[in-house]
């Protein structure tokens, strides 16, 4: 079970790779989240792995690169640390 945190709390955690690297899968899935956030101002729930266990945020996704999910405020989450995504 992941602990829900505010987007602003992400820098307080050390993000580590998930047990299974699904970067390619998430890159495709998150392209929808980018559209949802930029066109409809919708939020996406993202669960990612940290040294303190899984953490989850509900936020707007601004962009997706080959290796990172970028959020508002210059924050990013490595794709290889993502465990789950819900729209």
């Amino acid at each position: 079970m992941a602990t829900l945190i505010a987007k602003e709390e992400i820098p307080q955690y050390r993000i580590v790779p998930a047990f299974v690297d699904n970067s390619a899968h998430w890159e495709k899935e998150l392209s929808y989240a980018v559209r949802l956030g930029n066109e409809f101002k919708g939020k996406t729930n993202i669960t990612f792995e940290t040294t303190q266990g899984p953490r989850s945020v509900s936020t707007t996704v601004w962009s997706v690169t080959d290796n990172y999910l970028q959020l508002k405020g210059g924050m990013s989450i490595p794709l290889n640390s993502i465990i789950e995504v819900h729209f």
Side-chain angles (χ1 to χ4, degrees), residues 3 13 16-17 20 33 37-39 41-43 48 52 55 58 61 64 68 70 74 77-78 85:
T3 302
Y13 294 91
V16 296
V20 177
N38 291 328
E39 293 182 28
K41 307 302 179 211
K43 295 189 183 270
F48 57 96
Q52 297 169 331
R55 297 296 184 254
S58 180
V61 176
V64 178
Y68 290 92
Q70 297 181 333
I77 298 172
V85 174

Side-chain angles (χ1 to χ4, degrees), residues 35-85:
R35 184 169 183 227
L36 179 67
N38 291 328
E39 293 182 28
F40 303 104
K41 307 302 179 211
K43 295 189 183 270
T44 301
N45 293 319
I46 303 150
T47 303
F48 57 96
E49 191 65 58
T50 72
T51 55
Q52 297 169 331
R55 297 296 184 254
S56 185
V57 293
S58 180
T59 188
T60 302
V61 176
W62 284 82
S63 68
V64 178
T65 68
D66 289 342
N67 298 310
Y68 290 92
L69 167 69
Q70 297 181 333
L71 309 174
K72 187 176 181 180
M75 287 181 248
S76 61
I77 298 172
L79 293 181
N80 68 355
S81 71
I82 296 175
I83 299 169
E84 198 169 35
V85 174

